[in-house]
Amino acid sequence: MNAHERFAAYLAGKPVDRAPVIEWAPWWHLTVQRWLGEGLPHEMANTEALQGYFGLDKCLQTSVVCRTAKTPHAAEYGSGIMKDEADYEALLPTLFPDPERLLSDGHFDWLKQTHERGDTLHFFTVEGFFWYPREMFGIEDHLYSFYDHPELLKRMAEDYTEWLIKVFHTVFSRHRFDFMSFAEDMSYNNGPMISKALFDEFLAPYYKRVIEVIHTYGIPVFIDSDGDITEAVDWYAEVGADGMFPLERQAGVDVSTYLDKQPSMAFIGHFDKMCMKFGEEAMRWEFERLLHSMRRGKLIASCDHQTPPDVSIDNYRIYVKLFYEYAAKVTHADETVLPCPVFSGDGQACNSKGD
Amino acid sequence: MSIFQEISEKLQKGRAKDVSALVEQALNDGIAPQDILNEAMVVGMNAIGEKFRTGEIYVPEVLIAARAMNAGLKVLKPALTSAGVEPIGKAVICTVKGDMHDIGKNLVKMMIEGKGIECIDLGVNVEPSAVVNAVKESGATVVCLSALLTTTMNGQKDVIDALIEAGIRDSVKVMIGGAPVTQSFADEIGADAYTMDAASAAEVARSFMLN
């Protein structure tokens, strides 16, 4: 099986030769710096080269945002670029670039070539309906905006939805990505930042519309949200998401409970990055912890966020060795694993559009 | 409904203008400012803290309630000062060096202020020496340190080391929190308390000041 076939079969609940062995997140620059000091060749210090260097299944991200070079930048981390409707009106001419010009022909050629090679998964990322207004308002003002500017928030989500739908049609008709993700980070270590009522009013209607479009191309949709997503898993399942990542152990996340309540969903991550510095025995215990969930559901074990800089290159090599050892134990040959929503239903989704 | 209840309820709903107006009305009615603070506003923020801790409300609701509290305090403060009412204590709060995240720190600050504690907010990416200086200048008895990243959580230990070096470690209680922080990490670095959410942090800070 090549990387695409394996990934698609895994999410469809079908037998595989082994589980995918991927890192969805790029490596932390501080970690790469450390590894350079431990013998990593300089030409390997980028995401794609590192994946090849360590022998992982390649997994590369293509991302777009609705802001352009003409859109002002936030003055500092966490601050925004607008306060109210007048500001939004002023920003509008700088937003929502022509979907036809978001990705170059060269990029599509690269996607095609690497796809045909069979060893590279590609995923497409956009900002989610929580992340996008947060970038616009800034972290704190965005949280106030649910009460201060509810109609503006809805207008922004509506405009963004219209643009995203055009982007998805434009991009996915040229390349069928292996999966896509919405950058969201709606949760922190005590759960979601907003209530289900706010989610239902300000996010859910828009997610439903865009996920319906994405599914017509047979592309599984993942939500990228740090923190404790135990409540939010159900909310995103309701709007049609196929999976979530990275399931951070530090936030107290337990994937086995998610497999119980959302058996159709897939999950990527959940390998506790904090254990990696302790060496082989600690990492083996961590894989042992995950193995049962990998066998009974569509958990793609992977570092539960970026590898911390306290992990030596030797420990990372051990991690990859163990990753393959445990991936080989998961074939789903003897288990009944439900397909992700995109692969269920009328069966049209997998092959309706795209290449 | 008494005016105290009314203020408390408007505060919990985040109605800043209503809270300001009601506080003004209460002062005009001759109600002692410390009673307005303790019987209405602190009661309201305590209820918010409890609802937040139990998952009944979420971050936006806490923020608008705290904003309403601040609006009321703005009206109340001159009267409190005239009456010689002091805060129950002072706390220095910051996000440690190398870390720019401030929403968790801000939530803790709001909850702590809701307990009638004066908060000296040093902001984000704060040097240990700045914390030491702030403690010396303010006479704060509690230091609250936030960190969101695994790479910056050791900055909390750096602050504790700086307090030891400055010879003032025993005069303050150090509380830590943030996504990667755990009780065992707090024990490891010699912090006095780890709290997992803003409401608990405010409770612990208050208990440190009253005991």
Side-chain angles (χ1 to χ4, degrees):
Chain A
M1 282 182 135
N2 68 28
H4 312 287
E5 293 162 347
R6 184 180 301 113
F7 186 80
Y10 204 77
L11 266 55
K14 294 176 182 169
V16 288
D17 56 345
R18 63 164 169 83
V21 177
I22 59 170
E23 287 278 37
W24 67 273
W27 283 270
W28 214 325
H29 70 285
L30 295 173
T31 308
V32 176
Q33 257 176 34
R34 174 191 175 134
W35 292 349
L36 286 169
E38 293 175 334
L40 177 73
H42 278 269
E43 63 272 22
M44 294 295 159
N46 67 74
T47 300
E48 186 176 1
L50 272 169
Q51 291 179 352
Y53 180 76
F54 288 117
L56 298 159
D57 295 335
K58 287 189 178 170
C59 182
L60 300 174
Q61 182 180 42
T62 296
S63 59
V64 300
V65 296
C66 69
R67 294 173 299 283
T68 66
K70 290 179 181 168
T71 311
H73 290 283
E76 57 189 23
Y77 175 81
S79 64
I81 56 174
M82 60 174 280
K83 291 276 183 198
D84 52 27
E85 188 125 27
D87 289 348
Y88 180 62
E89 293 279 356
L91 287 170
L92 269 177
T94 77
L95 302 175
F96 308 124
D98 180 359
E100 296 282 352
R101 302 177 68 174
L102 277 173
L103 299 175
S104 67
D105 288 341
H107 191 83
F108 280 111
D109 290 344
W110 170 75
L111 287 169
K112 187 168 186 287
Q113 284 160 14
T114 48
H115 173 87
E116 285 172 353
R117 211 169 57 204
D119 64 348
T120 307
L121 298 176
H122 284 288
F123 67 112
F124 186 68
T125 300
V126 297
E127 294 172 341
F129 289 94
F130 186 79
W131 184 301
Y132 162 58
R134 182 175 56 199
E135 289 294 318
M136 301 289 281
F137 278 108
I139 294 172
E140 209 157 304
D141 282 354
H142 170 231
L143 293 165
Y144 283 115
S145 73
F146 290 100
Y147 289 93
D148 292 351
H149 302 288
E151 293 312 312
L152 174 58
L153 261 186
K154 287 176 190 172
R155 179 187 171 192
M156 290 167 66
E158 183 66 38
D159 292 348
Y160 187 49
T161 298
E162 292 296 322
W163 180 75
L164 281 180
I165 288 171
K166 286 181 204 157
V167 169
F168 295 146
H169 283 310
T170 305
V171 173
F172 297 158
S173 62
R174 291 190 65 179
H175 185 82
R176 186 196 173 281
F177 283 81
D178 294 284
F179 66 104
M180 78 152 294
S181 71
F182 284 92
E184 197 65 309
D185 283 358
M186 194 189 69
S187 295
Y188 67 122
N189 60 342
N190 289 322
M193 288 195 223
I194 60 170
S195 65
K196 176 72 160 56
L198 291 186
F199 179 87
D200 284 346
E201 185 175 355
F202 293 96
L203 281 76
Y206 310 101
Y207 264 118
K208 283 178 184 165
R209 280 165 61 191
V210 296
I211 289 176
E212 195 178 306
V213 171
I214 300 161
H215 277 181
T216 65
Y217 291 91
I219 297 174
V221 174
F222 284 77
I223 307 295
D224 168 5
S225 187
D226 298 354
D228 182 356
I229 56 168
T230 306
E231 272 184 270
V233 160
D234 300 331
W235 306 356
Y236 284 108
E238 272 180 37
V239 299
D242 298 278
M244 293 190 77
F245 58 79
L247 284 72
E248 293 179 306
R249 282 295 287 162
Q250 281 292 103
V253 166
D254 179 0
V255 74
S256 66
T257 62
Y258 302 172
L259 297 176
D260 288 340
K261 60 182 187 169
Q262 297 297 346
S264 294
M265 286 183 95
F267 301 98
I268 301 174
H270 206 40
F271 183 96
D272 185 358
K273 60 186 173 293
M274 303 299 280
C275 81
M276 297 168 85
K277 66 180 172 189
F278 297 116
E280 177 157 358
E281 193 181 350
M283 287 189 271
R284 185 173 289 284
W285 274 110
E286 182 62 3
F287 275 116
E288 283 289 337
R289 182 183 71 83
L290 298 178
L291 184 58
H292 178 66
S293 293
M294 291 166 75
R295 281 180 168 148
R296 69 181 275 242
K298 298 174 294 300
L299 170 64
I300 298 175
S302 177
C303 189
D304 69 359
H305 218 147
Q306 294 169 299
T307 309
D310 57 9
V311 179
S312 68
I313 195 166
D314 286 342
N315 271 335
Y316 193 80
R317 287 194 182 103
I318 292 168
Y319 164 73
V320 175
K321 181 193 78 172
L322 291 172
F323 203 158
Y324 272 101
E325 181 184 324
Y326 281 85
K329 295 174 192 272
V330 183
T331 61
H332 288 161
D334 302 319
E335 296 88 7
T336 302
V337 179
L338 296 179
C340 282
V342 68
F343 296 122
S344 60
D346 60 10
Q348 295 300 304
C350 304
N351 52 13
S352 55
K353 291 182 183 176
D355 57 356
Chain B
M1 185 188 292
S2 75
I3 195 159
F4 290 156
Q5 280 175 308
E6 217 175 330
I7 291 171
S8 170
E9 288 193 7
K10 296 289 184 190
L11 183 149
Q12 290 177 56
K13 286 178 181 163
R15 304 277 168 79
K17 283 180 187 166
D18 291 342
V19 171
S20 295
L22 285 165
V23 168
E24 193 148 5
Q25 184 189 324
L27 287 170
N28 291 338
D29 289 348
I31 299 174
Q34 59 268 45
D35 289 344
I36 300 171
L37 179 68
N38 294 325
E39 304 299 322
M41 298 171 73
V42 172
V43 167
M45 278 307 286
N46 282 345
I48 284 290
E50 185 58 16
K51 287 178 185 172
F52 184 53
R53 203 179 57 74
T54 57
E56 197 180 322
I57 61 169
Y58 293 77
V59 179
E61 291 78 25
V62 174
L63 288 176
I64 60 168
R67 183 171 62 184
M69 167 98 183
N70 285 334
L73 271 180
K74 204 172 169 185
V75 177
L76 197 60
K77 231 168 194 169
L80 286 170
T81 307
S82 301
V85 178
E86 296 286 332
I88 66 167
K90 291 179 184 174
V92 168
I93 189 167
C94 71
T95 303
V96 296
K97 176 76 180 161
D99 202 320
M100 307 299 285
H101 298 88
D102 70 351
I103 185 76
K105 182 262 296 172
N106 289 348
L107 284 170
V108 172
K109 179 190 169 194
M110 290 167 186
M111 289 290 182
I112 283 181
E113 287 178 336
K115 296 283 182 191
I117 297 168
E118 183 181 334
C119 223
I120 296 120
D121 183 358
L122 303 181
V124 297
N125 190 25
V126 173
E127 294 279 358
S129 59
V131 179
V132 169
N133 292 339
V135 169
K136 282 180 178 172
E137 284 165 19
S138 65
T141 55
V142 167
V143 170
C144 303
L145 304 171
S146 173
L148 186 84
L149 306 173
T150 51
T151 45
T152 59
M153 59 198 278
N154 284 320
Q156 297 175 325
K157 182 180 184 306
D158 294 340
V159 174
I160 292 174
D161 289 345
L163 291 166
I164 292 169
E165 200 174 316
I168 55 172
R169 175 66 184 92
D170 293 340
S171 68
V172 290
K173 296 289 187 187
V174 177
M175 299 170 53
I176 64 171
V181 179
T182 59
Q183 181 61 55
S184 64
F185 180 70
D187 296 340
E188 188 185 316
I189 67 170
D192 296 296
Y194 156 74
T195 49
M196 64 178 299
D197 59 63
S200 310
E203 276 297 334
V204 171
R206 183 172 180 275
S207 69
F208 279 146
M209 287 174 181
L210 295 181
N211 294 327

